[in-house]
Amino acid sequence: MTTTRRHRNPDEFPTIQLFLLAIVRLAEPIALTSIFPYAWPLIKRFKIGDEDDASFYAGLLISSFSLAEALMGMYWGGLSDRIGRKPVLLLGCVGTMFSMIMVGFAPNIWVALAGRAVGGLLNGNIGVIQTMVGELVTKPEHEPKAYSIMPFVWSIGTIIGPAIGGTFADPHETFPHLFPKGSLFERFPYLLPNLICAGMLLLSILLGYFLLEETHPDMQPRVFLPDDTFLSENTPLIETSDAMKRPAVDLRDENYGTVRGREADNSDTTRTKGQAKRPVGSIFCKRIMAVILALSIFTYHSMTFDHLLPIFFEDDRAANHALSGGFDHLSLFYSPGGLGLSLQSVGMIMAVQGVIALFVQAVIFPIMAERVGVYRLFIFVTVFHPICYLIMPSLLFVPDGLLYPAIYFCLAVRNFFSIIIYPLLLILIKEATPSLTVLGKVNGLAASAGAACRMVAPPIAGYLYAMGKKMDCTALAWYGSTLVAVIGAIQCFQVVRDRTREPSAEDGLGVAASKNPNTDVEE
């Protein structure tokens, strides 16, 4: 499985392999987001607790996957450093497929929770895929484009996933002529969308097994190296996918993209003249932890949005006189109920949200990354991110004729900030990693931290929504997310870039660099 079947020029943009990796990646967001439209009615069908608390239990169901994923993220990242990226990646797809089938056949909440947890335990794909992208990309100027591909694929998945979940959930009610009374799909009304997603995962597993190449540096063919290269533990294949750690001027070095010299980088395991062997620095350094903390905060409030959106849209709408009376109160603290939309409408709205995200990822992000620069753009979108959550409760007071335009405006604002920030964080994580020998572990740590935040976000957001509903203030949950986003806006200034790196136009970021070597590349 880890044998390289064909040779690739390490200096070229890895279009084919990134395309194959994207295909393997695509089925996962489809599977994970398909549950969002029907998680709330699924919990109400199971009749767990008070119906007003369904949003809290729906959050537990969604977060059970992330809880298990958080526990195993670093393990799968470390295992991929030892046995290769491809086996771990495909195992994650198998685990997710098995999880979908279990949830589809779940007769009660406990089986559904177990199915989600099994999928999370076997899935370390987020960190592994980030590592594979880092190993495929050999030049800094390719990074903004390469690191935007997987979020782009995620956006496509968020179009298809909710559309599948919203359209094919409870098919006995939606398509009674195709799924008559007494059929399997009446007994298990949420089986069909899970079977469709499981079939897509199976296709991605087959394509990945036969066509995707292993990217682990120790498993690359010797043809990628100069003829006089002597391989040893002191000459790891670092520079092929981590050239950013050397000064940008060295991009013209004939040895770029091959191996690092013995005295090239103090952060790697090297042996210099008169020195003993130096270990790679700890991955728990301040610089790495600052980026991972920023990623964790973003993951938390982003997940609360994804969880609250269908609940807020599907919750019963308050009477018109009650909403109009809300202006007699302080509107910040008066926001009763939700928008009262159907499950199918919510599925299509979430699919349109994916289209918006796709446009932001494909068109807006490359332009802004080129003109503003990675670090400045990161600061900008993080500081203004709280706006996404502040504007959501105002939808309750929008006239019916303007409701859908207002919804899509709010979703456009949200996706502008959330879609842009994610590839920026991936680039910053790779820059902060001291050596490719620990890149899998660093990405595994980042995936675990993100999964932990995805685990706690839905139950907390669901609890705040349930509590706010009893107070005629469902906006309470949105304000909780706003507070966390404000904390992220403050913390983002703790994230720094490598100020020892000489700026160069060849960085490919399209930013005018200063001649001062002590400034950031964008300054």
Side-chain angles (χ1 to χ4, degrees):
M1 186 182 298
T2 58
T3 301
T4 301
R5 299 178 178 87
R6 58 184 63 86
H7 303 319
R8 175 179 58 85
N9 186 346
D11 290 332
E12 294 180 352
F13 188 80
T15 303
I16 296 178
Q17 284 301 301
L18 284 176
F19 175 75
L20 293 170
L21 188 61
I23 293 177
V24 175
R25 174 63 167 155
L26 177 61
E28 192 171 13
I30 292 175
L32 295 181
T33 60
S34 65
I35 194 175
F36 287 171
Y38 64 81
W40 194 47
L42 175 64
I43 291 298
K44 291 196 291 185
R45 178 183 175 84
F46 287 151
K47 298 179 180 179
I48 302 297
D50 189 354
E51 185 172 317
D52 290 338
D53 297 326
S55 59
F56 171 73
Y57 291 106
L60 288 179
L61 178 63
I62 292 175
S63 65
S64 58
F65 183 95
S66 299
L67 168 61
E69 188 179 26
L71 295 175
M72 298 295 290
M74 282 196 68
Y75 171 78
W76 292 121
L79 184 64
S80 73
D81 285 335
R82 297 193 299 272
I83 68 172
R85 319 300 184 195
K86 185 174 174 180
V88 176
L89 177 66
L90 297 182
L91 179 61
C93 292
V94 172
T96 304
M97 182 177 67
F98 183 65
S99 169
M100 301 300 296
I101 296 175
M102 283 190 67
V103 173
F105 281 105
N108 53 58
I109 190 174
W110 306 114
V111 177
L113 285 171
R116 297 280 294 176
V118 167
L121 287 172
L122 296 177
N123 193 308
N125 285 3
I126 294 178
V128 174
I129 287 175
Q130 292 173 7
T131 303
M132 293 181 75
V133 173
E135 290 168 340
L136 285 169
V137 178
T138 63
K139 289 189 174 182
E141 56 264 39
H142 292 160
E143 286 186 336
K145 180 179 178 181
Y147 275 105
S148 67
I149 291 176
M150 295 308 145
F152 183 84
V153 171
W154 178 272
S155 299
I156 297 178
T158 58
I159 298 173
I160 303 174
I164 291 175
T167 302
F168 297 103
D170 203 358
H172 169 66
E173 295 292 335
T174 309
F175 311 104
H177 57 290
L178 295 177
F179 304 94
K181 186 176 181 179
S183 65
L184 179 66
F185 296 99
E186 182 190 16
R187 182 182 176 188
F188 300 103
Y190 305 105
L191 173 61
L192 183 58
N194 283 281
L195 288 179
I196 293 173
C197 294
M200 293 181 175
L201 282 163
L202 178 60
L203 178 62
S204 70
I205 292 169
L206 294 175
L207 291 174
Y209 181 84
F210 290 106
L211 300 177
L212 191 64
E213 296 291 345
E214 177 60 57
T215 64
H216 195 293
D218 292 342
M219 301 176 185
Q220 297 304 301
R222 197 180 188 281
V223 71
F224 286 173
L225 307 178
D227 293 336
D228 57 352
T229 299
F230 174 74
L231 292 178
S232 73
E233 64 177 359
N234 293 329
T235 56
L237 298 176
I238 302 301
E239 209 62 35
T240 299
S241 56
D242 217 13
M244 183 170 281
K245 301 304 180 296
R246 296 188 66 182
V249 68
D250 285 342
L251 291 173
R252 294 182 290 269
D253 191 332
E254 64 179 359
N255 292 324
Y256 170 77
T258 55
V259 294
R260 174 170 297 166
R262 291 175 177 263
E263 300 177 6
D265 193 339
N266 289 334
S267 64
D268 292 323
T269 303
T270 58
R271 186 185 300 274
T272 57
K273 189 174 182 178
Q275 289 181 327
K277 187 177 180 179
R278 298 175 57 114
V280 174
S282 171
I283 66 172
F284 297 99
C285 63
K286 181 179 178 180
R287 187 180 175 200
I288 292 177
M289 298 312 296
V291 184
I292 290 179
L293 180 58
L295 174 66
S296 301
I297 294 173
F298 161 71
T299 301
Y300 174 88
H301 61 71
S302 179
M303 188 65 183
T304 62
F305 189 99
D306 292 335
H307 177 61
L308 289 173
L309 189 67
I311 296 175
F312 179 61
F313 284 177
E314 295 171 19
D315 196 6
D316 293 336
R317 189 175 180 87
N320 290 333
H321 70 276
L323 287 177
S324 61
F327 292 103
D328 297 332
H329 303 73
L330 184 60
S331 59
L332 283 174
F333 300 101
Y334 184 76
S335 49
L339 300 183
L341 303 179
S342 67
L343 190 150
Q344 285 73 27
S345 297
V346 172
M348 292 310 300
I349 288 173
M350 295 183 72
V352 173
Q353 177 186 218
V355 175
I356 297 172
L358 202 64
F359 176 79
V360 173
Q361 189 70 65
V363 179
I364 298 179
F365 170 73
I367 295 174
M368 295 200 68
E370 178 182 356
R371 296 185 178 181
V372 180
V374 170
Y375 185 72
R376 286 179 179 173
L377 186 56
F378 164 71
I379 295 295
F380 172 78
V381 295
T382 305
V383 168
F384 288 97
H385 218 121
I387 297 174
C388 306
Y389 309 100
L390 281 176
I391 62 178
M392 290 301 296
S394 63
L395 291 173
L396 288 171
F397 306 102
V398 174
D400 291 342
L402 298 176
L403 180 59
Y404 279 91
I407 287 174
Y408 293 132
F409 171 78
C410 292
L411 294 181
V413 173
R414 188 263 174 155
N415 281 280
F416 172 80
F417 291 108
S418 64
I419 296 300
I420 285 178
I421 192 175
Y422 188 64
L424 300 177
L425 285 165
L426 299 184
I427 293 174
L428 292 172
I429 287 175
K430 181 184 176 183
E431 283 188 349
T433 304
S435 168
L436 193 61
T437 58
V438 294
L439 184 59
K441 187 173 293 185
V442 171
N443 281 322
L445 176 62
S448 292
C453 292
R454 287 194 301 274
M455 170 193 69
V456 300
I460 293 177
Y463 174 77
L464 289 176
Y465 188 89
M467 186 169 63
K469 187 175 181 180
K470 296 175 182 178
M471 302 163 48
D472 279 341
C473 184
T474 53
L476 180 64
W478 296 110
Y479 297 152
S481 300
T482 303
L483 177 61
V484 177
V486 169
I487 294 174
I490 298 172
Q491 186 274 337
C492 72
F493 293 99
Q494 300 297 317
V495 177
V496 296
R497 304 194 75 188
D498 187 359
R499 295 179 181 272
T500 63
R501 181 178 172 217
E502 184 72 26
S504 170
E506 294 190 23
D507 286 353
L509 299 178
V511 181
S514 169
K515 293 182 179 180
N516 185 353
N518 295 321
T519 60
D520 287 311
V521 66
E522 293 88 5
E523 296 177 346

